[in-house]
Amino acid sequence: MELFQLTPIQQNLLIASVIGDGEITKITYKNCRRKNNSYREHYGVAQQAYREWKVSLMPELWYLRPNSQSICSRSLPIFTEMYSHFYDVNGAKKVPERLLFLCTQLHFLAVLYMDDGSLSITRSINHRKKLIFLTPHIFLYLQNYPRDQLVLLNNHFKETMNTDFSINKRPDGYGYILRFTSTDKTYKFLKLIEPVTKLCPHMNYKTNWEYRFEFEKSKYEEEYPGYQTLASSSDRHKNYSFEEINTLITLKNEGITDKKIAEILGRTYWSVVYKLSDLRKNGLL
């Protein structure tokens, strides 16, 4: 199979792209002389830079058509061979079960998320304390796949990348998507795919929580002057011991970064940020 001639990263990129925004086009029109299928992927203007990055990893197969906002390929045997793995007899998309053994690179998860994922944010406002908490949520909008296909895909994520999504209902498509139900999983997921996503900074709005948080924070500073905006953490409400508080104060006074303090205490970064804010308000720091 010609897919096996690609590098592991290219294999993972291509498979994730077909599952996500891409499609393998099967030429069936009358008098067509093409023997093989080709690849197409349409996108919005705002994602031009992201598609340029994808094409730079697959220059042998893909090229850009900026006027039609699409990634394209020539008609090639590789896409003819791959077609039956991604489409059933009725032409509906399916997860390529027999190719998943190739999908162990972070590029697979990262590209699938950048194609079809979303970093959504909910807010909670405590007007008494003038605090705004922003909570991130990760969604994979794969509602064009039946539930059993999403179970198959999620099992693969669990086995190869130790990432476990929840399957939630949705009113469109086949009625289901993948998502995370805890902030811890969201933060860990973004950290997991960071080695790939940091190479594509144009997608920071959905892959870099620190970047996105600062962007959202600036909006709330205008809307709610005098309020402090913090990111939610699952252990935000877990009490700090006397020893932890003393260690936190000592380390902060020594100029240790919040991220390093979180590592030392075994707490999340945002839990430490919240606790430091609390200590300052109480005059302990």
Side-chain angles (χ1 to χ4, degrees), residues 245-258:
I245 292 174
N246 278 341
T247 300
L248 193 156
I249 293 173
T250 299
L251 293 174
K252 193 61 182 177
N253 286 333
E254 291 177 355
I256 306 301
T257 66
D258 294 355

Side-chain angles (χ1 to χ4, degrees), residues 194-207:
E194 184 180 18
V196 176
T197 58
K198 70 180 180 182
L199 303 175
C200 188
H202 307 287
M203 298 296 281
N204 273 348
Y205 71 95
K206 71 162 67 175
T207 62

Side-chain angles (χ1 to χ4, degrees), residues 57-282:
L57 298 177
M58 198 84 73
E60 309 92 342
L61 295 182
W62 287 343
Y63 60 90
L64 279 174
R65 280 186 177 167
N67 291 339
S68 62
Q69 296 172 11
S70 59
I71 294 176
C72 303
S73 79
R74 294 179 292 112
S75 298
L76 297 168
I78 184 173
F79 297 115
T80 302
E81 293 175 347
M82 291 175 64
Y83 183 86
S84 63
H85 289 274
F86 291 89
Y87 298 87
D88 64 22
V89 293
N90 297 314
K93 266 191 174 182
K94 63 179 182 178
V95 173
E97 183 174 5
R98 289 183 294 162
L99 297 181
L100 289 181
F101 76 95
L102 296 171
C103 303
T104 58
Q105 303 284 322
L106 285 179
H107 279 75
F108 177 68
L109 187 56
V111 169
L112 188 56
Y113 170 64
M114 288 190 282
D115 269 22
D116 279 346
S118 173
L119 176 57
S120 300
I121 297 172
T122 56
R123 76 178 187 185
S124 174
I125 302 178
N126 186 322
H127 292 289
R128 184 174 62 84
K129 294 184 177 181
K130 291 190 174 183
L131 291 175
I132 301 172
F133 291 100
L134 302 183
T135 304
H137 308 273
I138 294 291
F139 293 88
L140 270 180
Y141 290 109
L142 297 171
Q143 60 266 37
N144 290 327
Y145 293 90
R147 189 180 190 281
D148 65 304
Q149 295 286 287
L150 296 186
V151 170
L152 171 66
L153 189 60
N154 191 47
N155 285 339
H156 177 73
F157 292 147
K158 285 191 286 187
E159 292 170 3
T160 60
M161 300 178 192
N162 196 29
T163 298
D164 186 11
F165 289 89
S166 295
I167 298 178
N168 279 41
K169 289 186 176 181
R170 183 178 169 86
D172 56 343
Y174 283 98
Y176 295 93
I177 59 172
L178 298 178
R179 65 165 294 184
F180 288 126
T181 56
S182 76
T183 52
D184 267 2
K185 286 186 176 181
T186 293
Y187 295 138
K188 288 177 181 177
F189 173 78
L190 294 176
K191 192 67 178 177
L192 174 67
I193 62 175
E194 184 180 18
V196 176
T197 58
K198 70 180 180 182
L199 303 175
C200 188
H202 307 287
M203 298 296 281
N204 273 348
Y205 71 95
K206 71 162 67 175
T207 62
N208 185 322
W209 173 237
E210 284 76 16
Y211 170 90
R212 180 67 179 275
F213 174 78
E214 291 300 324
F215 175 79
E216 299 292 335
K217 179 181 176 183
S218 65
K219 294 194 304 183
Y220 287 110
E221 285 176 346
E222 294 182 10
E223 187 176 354
Y224 296 94
Y227 282 59
Q228 183 178 13
T229 304
L230 297 169
S232 291
S233 170
S234 60
D235 66 351
R236 175 163 58 89
H237 298 293
K238 293 179 181 177
N239 292 331
Y240 277 67
S241 67
F242 180 76
E243 290 76 14
E244 282 182 307
I245 292 174
N246 278 341
T247 300
L248 193 156
I249 293 173
T250 299
L251 293 174
K252 193 61 182 177
N253 286 333
E254 291 177 355
I256 306 301
T257 66
D258 294 355
K259 285 188 176 181
K260 188 62 179 178
I261 293 173
E263 291 177 12
I264 293 171
L265 294 180
R267 295 270 186 168
T268 65
Y269 168 77
W270 293 107
S271 171
V272 168
V273 170
Y274 176 78
K275 191 61 181 179
L276 287 171
S277 173
D278 188 51
L279 290 173
R280 291 190 186 98
K281 285 185 178 180
N282 289 291

